[in-house]
Amino acid sequence: MASVTVTADENVHTNGWRQFIFENDAFGVIDPSDDGYSNGVGYAWGKAPIASYDDIDLPNWLKTASDWTYINQGDEGLYTLSYAVVQAMYTPSDLDTPELVEDDRPYAGVLLWHVTMRQFDQNVSRGLSLDLGVVGPASLAEKTQSTIHGVINARDPQGWEHQLENEAVFRIQSEYLHRFANFDIADGLATDASFYGQGSLGNFRSEAGFGLVFRLGTGLEQTYSTINPTGSHSANPYGQISDRGFNWMVYVSAYGGYVLNDITLDGNTFKDSHSVELTHEQGEVSMGVAMRWGSWGLLVSTLRGSKKFEGQIPETDYAGVSISYHY
């Protein structure tokens, strides 16, 4: 069931969407804790599908920068565009001591502005994204985490005075996805498998890796281009279809990669700060369910990952939920 090539001359109905994201390790399925990647909140929005590259509404500086890249395929295939503002909090295991926990990861808060463009056709999707933001007190992560922990009745971390110093961060990321197998099971119900590869570079985080994603559900041929093997960081895949009926999917994924640098573990680039020894080889498995009914969508996922640094005791384990509105 291959996708059909669509050009700008054909009638393409573009959908818009808005999405709220919440992730927390206290909701992890296996050994839930309150450390590591402790909490994340975000607001995302975008449009999909878009008929041609020229129709993508980007700021002029981004349009100029991306014109010469592989993402610009003119009228070939379709495109998606998404933005997000994301805030993430990282903490050590011992949240009760105000002293520096030297053998555990640093307190770190991150605030990012994120933009992603994707071009897809014939079961192949290519993505290009940019993160710009700040790590440190300017991220306001300490205040956000204290508020959220008060709402969910979790411990209030006492060591934020040892968090990383303010530093501007960036990351450029390239993605490639190939939907290499798909099978119809019943009317409207299908299963598929996709290969995912990505590479990123920046002082925020640099890595290269690949994974596999397996899905079961409806509307898979229209939603493969936005799937991701990690948690609910990405948009609800049903944002790009115009069907206002009920659609659903379940997925399971596995991902492995080599991480060259991670500022939340390595510490500040130009200042002395607390740091730990990064584990370069990392992997994770994730599973979840996505659905859409009318204008509303829901994406629920859980992720289990390997250790991120030498001496890490609990495994990486968190769950995420995102609620989206489509128009």
Side-chain angles (χ1 to χ4, degrees):
M1 186 191 301
S3 314
V4 178
T5 302
V6 180
T7 68
D9 293 330
E10 299 181 57
N11 185 24
V12 175
H13 177 74
T14 299
N15 303 297
W17 53 269
R18 300 285 187 270
Q19 178 171 283
F20 175 75
I21 304 165
F22 179 76
E23 297 174 332
N24 196 287
D25 60 354
F27 301 148
V29 174
I30 303 174
D31 299 329
S33 60
D34 204 9
D35 50 31
Y37 175 47
S38 178
N39 197 83
V41 292
Y43 178 73
W45 64 99
K47 293 182 178 181
I50 302 171
S52 73
Y53 177 82
D54 289 338
D55 293 332
I56 300 177
D57 186 14
L58 280 172
N60 289 335
W61 66 275
L62 271 178
K63 193 78 168 181
T64 300
S66 61
D67 276 346
W68 56 271
T69 69
Y70 62 86
I71 206 70
N72 182 3
Q73 298 294 318
D75 293 342
E76 296 297 321
L78 296 172
Y79 294 82
T80 68
L81 173 66
S82 63
Y83 296 96
V85 177
V86 179
Q87 188 184 53
M89 305 108 205
Y90 301 85
T91 60
S93 299
D94 186 355
L95 303 181
D96 298 324
T97 178
E99 305 299 326
L100 176 64
V101 185
E102 295 185 358
D103 59 351
D104 206 340
R105 72 175 303 145
Y107 278 88
V110 181
L111 182 63
L112 295 174
W113 175 81
H114 176 85
V115 57
T116 297
M117 292 178 288
R118 289 188 175 91
Q119 185 272 342
F120 64 98
D121 189 22
Q122 301 292 351
N123 293 323
V124 172
S125 173
R126 302 169 182 86
L128 183 63
S129 62
L130 172 67
D131 290 309
L132 297 174
V134 63
V135 62
S139 71
L140 304 179
E142 177 183 1
K143 294 181 180 179
T144 301
Q145 187 179 56
S146 296
T147 300
I148 292 175
H149 279 207
V151 172
I152 66 176
N153 196 29
R155 292 177 296 168
D156 189 23
Q158 300 299 308
W160 272 104
E161 66 178 277
H162 304 293
Q163 69 174 301
L164 301 186
E165 299 293 335
N166 285 329
E167 182 176 335
V169 294
F170 78 96
R171 175 174 60 173
I172 300 172
Q173 181 171 318
S174 175
E175 296 178 319
Y176 174 84
L177 190 144
H178 180 204
R179 183 173 178 251
F180 62 85
N182 58 287
F183 304 96
D184 291 329
I185 298 176
D187 186 22
L189 180 64
T191 183
D192 67 8
S194 299
F195 167 84
Y196 174 90
Q198 68 100 358
S200 62
L201 183 65
N203 69 326
F204 173 54
R205 183 179 170 97
S206 302
E207 68 177 302
F210 63 90
L212 294 173
V213 184
F214 302 93
R215 302 187 299 163
L216 170 69
T218 62
L220 301 187
E221 73 281 0
Q222 300 180 64
T223 58
Y224 82 91
S225 65
T226 58
I227 61 177
N228 188 296
T230 60
S232 63
H233 298 294
S234 57
N236 188 313
Y238 288 113
Q240 66 187 70
I241 68 174
S242 57
D243 183 1
R244 294 287 174 170
F246 179 71
N247 285 283
W248 64 274
M249 72 174 70
V250 294
Y251 79 88
V252 60
S253 67
Y255 173 84
Y258 185 90
V259 181
L260 182 63
N261 63 278
D262 182 339
I263 196 171
T264 69
L265 297 170
D266 296 325
N268 288 108
T269 308
F270 306 107
K271 298 180 181 179
D272 290 333
S273 65
H274 180 210
S275 64
V276 290
E277 186 176 350
L278 172 69
T279 298
H280 295 289
E281 298 83 6
Q282 299 182 16
E284 55 199 31
V285 294
S286 179
M287 62 183 64
V289 56
M291 61 186 69
R292 177 178 166 187
W293 189 5
S295 295
W296 292 96
L298 178 68
L299 174 61
V300 180
S301 62
T302 183
L303 182 145
R304 180 77 169 177
S306 64
K307 294 181 179 180
K308 309 299 184 186
F309 61 93
E310 296 294 328
Q312 180 179 347
I313 298 176
E315 301 284 343
T316 303
D317 183 25
Y318 67 89
V321 59
S322 62
I323 300 173
S324 54
Y325 180 78
H326 311 269
Y327 57 92

